[in-house]
Amino acid sequence: KAQGFKANVEYSQGCNAIAAGTQGQRAWTDFNPNFDIAESILNSSFDWNGYRAPHIVATENDSKNGIGMLAAMLITGLPQLFADIRTNWTPASVKKATGKDVSKLAPQGFIDKRNSGAGALDYAVNIASMVRGGRKMTPQELSAAIRNNAAAQKKLMESAMKATTYMAAALEYFPGDGLSSHYRTPGGVPMTAYRYNVIGDTLTFSVVEGETVELPVSVADHIGDVTDKTWPESYWVPRGMSSFEYMSKIGPNHDGNSYGLIGADLITFNSMLRIPIDMHNVPADDIFRPTYWDRCGGNDYLACSRLGPLYR
């Protein structure tokens, strides 16, 4: 009453939504500060109150990416990284631009995953290093280990914040100004990329496992200078395919990313929902699907279309 209005409590608490998106440029950021601080913190596993479950917020209201992030978060219990599939770099293009040879590091090239100013701060570090034996744990085991260890939570929060710098927004993208989270994901982090797409009335799913690489500083700095050095950056190599092949086949210029190799989990999850997989690089021996798929010759589209959607 003192403020002259009555608060809408349900609206202020997000209407109990399980995922959200931000409008972003240009409808919002031409006239207002960007949402990058809020988006990066909400997607992280902690805020000013301490360690907590991550929220799911998709950049630019990309609902298909938001759905994938929600599914992967529920499967792993870990924060998810929304990323722009910004640039495909090959050893030849790196050599031409910087004079450096990265052919041993990424012989088939790498993807510059650089979201426009916001990314979960957990990806500023390798979260597996937060607990003893973390590199040998499944994502689910790692999530539980951190969740039950106050010292690991403190280490994660302090390490992630130390590795992150909030930088003045790039005004050509954000005329309304603001701050963008910048960090560089360490190399050697197992990471699964995924994406939902809509083809006509059919929802499909892509999932590709890979690993981040740590580029020479001069190479990473050059890529930042010619792209946007205020944004979070993760350099990622897909397993068993070239970076160009991944960029060409994934669909739009956004993907979701999860710590760990969870491709098999996501394939089974989508099979349960009768959503066909349009691209993956998961070994056949790791994949579990109902035997009904065998009756359909292993054809995802045929099995899913005959069964029909689980939910309408």
Side-chain angles (χ1 to χ4, degrees), residues 68-278:
M69 292 168 68
L70 178 62
M73 189 274 286
L74 292 173
I75 286 171
T76 63
L78 295 170
Q80 302 299 300
L81 177 67
F82 188 110
D84 284 3
I85 308 168
R86 183 60 55 170
T87 325
N88 163 53
W89 287 85
T90 64
S93 61
V94 171
K95 183 77 171 178
K96 181 178 180 180
T98 69
K100 298 290 185 180
D101 183 4
V102 297
S103 58
K104 291 184 179 179
L105 189 63
Q108 291 188 285
F110 60 88
I111 298 292
D112 173 16
K113 294 181 182 244
R114 186 183 302 260
N115 192 27
S116 50
L121 303 190
D122 301 71
Y123 288 87
V125 298
N126 186 343
I127 59 174
S129 63
M130 299 300 118
V131 294
R132 181 173 296 181
R135 296 177 190 274
K136 296 181 179 180
M137 295 180 180
T138 66
Q140 295 83 357
E141 291 169 340
L142 181 60
S143 173
I146 297 175
R147 193 165 57 247
N148 296 315
N149 187 328
Q153 295 169 16
K154 182 180 179 182
K155 182 180 179 182
L156 170 59
M157 292 185 286
E158 291 179 348
S159 300
M161 288 188 288
K162 184 178 180 180
T164 302
T165 301
Y166 280 96
M167 305 182 73
L171 295 181
E172 61 267 33
Y173 274 90
F174 306 122
D177 211 348
L179 295 170
S180 295
S181 56
H182 175 262
Y183 56 76
R184 195 169 282 170
T185 302
V189 177
M191 187 181 290
T192 300
Y194 50 82
R195 169 82 206 183
Y196 280 103
N197 290 299
V198 174
I199 312 299
D201 294 329
T202 301
L203 188 66
T204 69
F205 188 71
S206 307
V207 57
V208 176
E209 297 178 337
E211 185 175 277
T212 62
V213 293
E214 191 154 340
L215 300 174
V217 173
S218 60
V219 174
D221 286 347
H222 172 80
I223 294 174
D225 288 340
V226 299
T227 310
D228 195 303
K229 58 186 177 183
T230 70
W231 295 349
E233 53 195 78
S234 304
Y235 301 110
W236 177 80
V237 173
R239 187 184 65 233
M241 66 172 67
S242 70
S243 54
F244 176 80
E245 183 181 2
Y246 174 79
M247 192 173 192
S248 174
K249 291 183 176 181
I250 190 63
N253 68 316
H254 293 162
D255 66 10
N257 299 270
S258 177
Y259 172 86
L261 303 181
I262 61 167
D265 299 294
L266 287 168
I267 289 174
T268 298
F269 173 81
N270 282 281
S271 296
M272 293 166 63
L273 297 176
R274 293 119 186 223
I275 298 172
I277 309 300
D278 57 29

Side-chain angles (χ1 to χ4, degrees), residues 41 44-54 153-154 157 161:
I41 295 295
S44 301
S45 66
F46 60 89
D47 57 23
W48 44 88
N49 291 318
Y51 194 78
R52 54 150 174 78
Q153 295 169 16
K154 182 180 179 182
M157 292 185 286
M161 288 188 288

Side-chain angles (χ1 to χ4, degrees), residues 201 273-274 304-312:
D201 294 329
L273 297 176
R274 293 119 186 223
C304 292
S305 64
R306 284 186 171 178
L307 287 169
L310 185 61
Y311 299 104
R312 294 182 184 274

Side-chain angles (χ1 to χ4, degrees), residues 57-74:
V57 183
T59 302
E60 296 173 356
N61 275 337
D62 185 343
S63 58
K64 270 75 73 181
N65 232 26
I67 295 169
M69 292 168 68
L70 178 62
M73 189 274 286
L74 292 173

